[in-house]
Each structure stands twice: as structure tokens, then as C-alpha cells.
Amino acid sequence: ANGSNGGGAPAAPSAYVPPHLRGKAGAGSAPARPAFSLHDYEQAKKVGGTSALGKALPPGAEEEDDKLSKGALKKKKAKEKAAREKDAADALEQTNAALEAAGIEIKPAGAAKAPVVAEVTKDLETPEGVQKRLKAVQKKLRQTQDLAKEAAGGKELNVDQLAKVDMIPAVEKEIAQLEKLFKSLS
């Protein structure tokens, strides 16, 4: 025990080196070893797209996402989606403004389509078939009138909804034709 290592030359006594000085040159007689660097550790984790456990990350996954809770991750994705939608809306607004400045008129989708007029088919040969079609067209008219009320109230409608509102006269005409057909079959 007296500083001997079991029969050989006596071991040189070494001075205590505090942990923060260990591995530094000139700090006691301890051999120099590279100091631990958190930055180097973090970089080593990310080499090759692998996680800290050495597992390959799925495409699109980021190491930071693994550290977030479910709620925080969901909130992050929602913010990213809202930002993408805002960017898309801004781009559409700029495009529409440029087209308007150039004097190009934009027609809503479905505006070029011919109005749907009920033709005499197998379903419309019986009073029950005509009545069924009449109910469906009346429901469509109620929905379009509700959209028109919302638009009058200040709600901004999308292109398809505007096209549907523009079809109100054609739908009313179809209802009149179906009522006439129903009376003739009854």
C-alpha cells in the first residue's frame, strides 16, 4: 500500500486536480485528454441523419421535434399550416390584383357552364320521379338563397359559391318546368 504497485517501482504521488482543470495542459500530472464539448456531441448526433439513439429519422423529421411534447408539436404544425395558407392567400390576392390592373376579367368556375335543365328521362316519366327531382332542386335553391343571404351580410364567398349564387335564375326556371311537368302527369 505505501505508494507501491505490488513489487515494482513505487508510484509517483499525484496531486489532486479539480474536475474543471482535468485534461488541460499543465494542470497536475494527469495526462491530457480532450475536453468534453457539448457542441461536438450535438454535431455527432446529427451526422448521417440519425437520432441520438442511432436510429435513422423518417423523411422530413427533425431532431428537435422529438424533444417537443405532443401538444407543442401539434401547435407548431398548426402555425406552419396557417403560415402556408396565409402565403397562398397573399399570392392569390397579388395575382388577382395584377390581372385586374391588366384589365383581365376573372370568371368564377362553373360560370361558363350551361344551366341544368330537367330533361324527360325515365325518372321524370312518373309523378313520383318528378316530385323527387322537384324536392332536390328546391333544396338546391334554398341552399343557394342562404349563400346569397350570407354574401349580402358581408361574408366573403369562394369562387364555387359565387357560381352557385349566379345559378339561382336557372334553378328557379327548372323548378317552374318541373312543376308544370308534375301537373301534366298528375
Side-chain angles (χ1 to χ4, degrees), residues 7-21:
S14 61
Y16 173 76
V17 180
H20 70 278
L21 293 177

Side-chain angles (χ1 to χ4, degrees), residues 1-158:
N2 270 342
S4 66
N5 57 3
S14 61
Y16 173 76
V17 180
H20 70 278
L21 293 177
R22 291 178 189 166
K24 296 190 178 187
S29 62
R33 65 179 173 152
F36 173 78
S37 167
L38 184 60
H39 174 73
D40 292 339
Y41 176 73
E42 290 291 327
Q43 290 301 320
K45 282 193 331 186
K46 294 182 181 179
V47 172
T50 58
S51 69
L53 300 174
K55 296 180 181 176
L57 295 173
E62 297 177 16
E63 186 71 25
E64 294 81 35
D65 288 348
D66 291 343
K67 297 175 185 174
L68 297 176
S69 67
K70 272 187 180 179
L73 187 59
K74 188 175 181 181
K75 189 174 184 180
K76 178 183 174 187
K77 286 182 180 181
K79 281 186 177 182
E80 289 171 355
K81 182 180 178 184
R84 283 193 310 269
E85 289 175 353
K86 184 179 182 295
D87 291 343
D90 290 344
L92 179 63
E93 190 174 308
Q94 289 176 352
T95 302
N96 288 341
L99 289 173
E100 188 176 311
I104 300 172
E105 185 178 330
I106 303 170
K107 293 184 180 180
K113 294 179 184 175
V116 179
V117 179
E119 297 179 14
V120 178
T121 62
K122 290 182 181 179
D123 291 342
L124 299 179
E125 291 176 352
T126 64
E128 294 82 18
V130 174
Q131 193 172 19
K132 182 178 178 182
R133 175 69 183 156
L134 186 60
K135 280 186 177 184
V137 176
Q138 286 172 339
K139 179 180 178 183
K140 184 176 180 180
L141 179 64
R142 277 194 307 276
Q143 290 172 343
T144 54
Q145 288 172 339
D146 289 345
L147 282 174
K149 286 179 187 175
E150 288 177 8
K155 181 180 178 188
E156 191 172 320
L157 301 180
N158 66 29

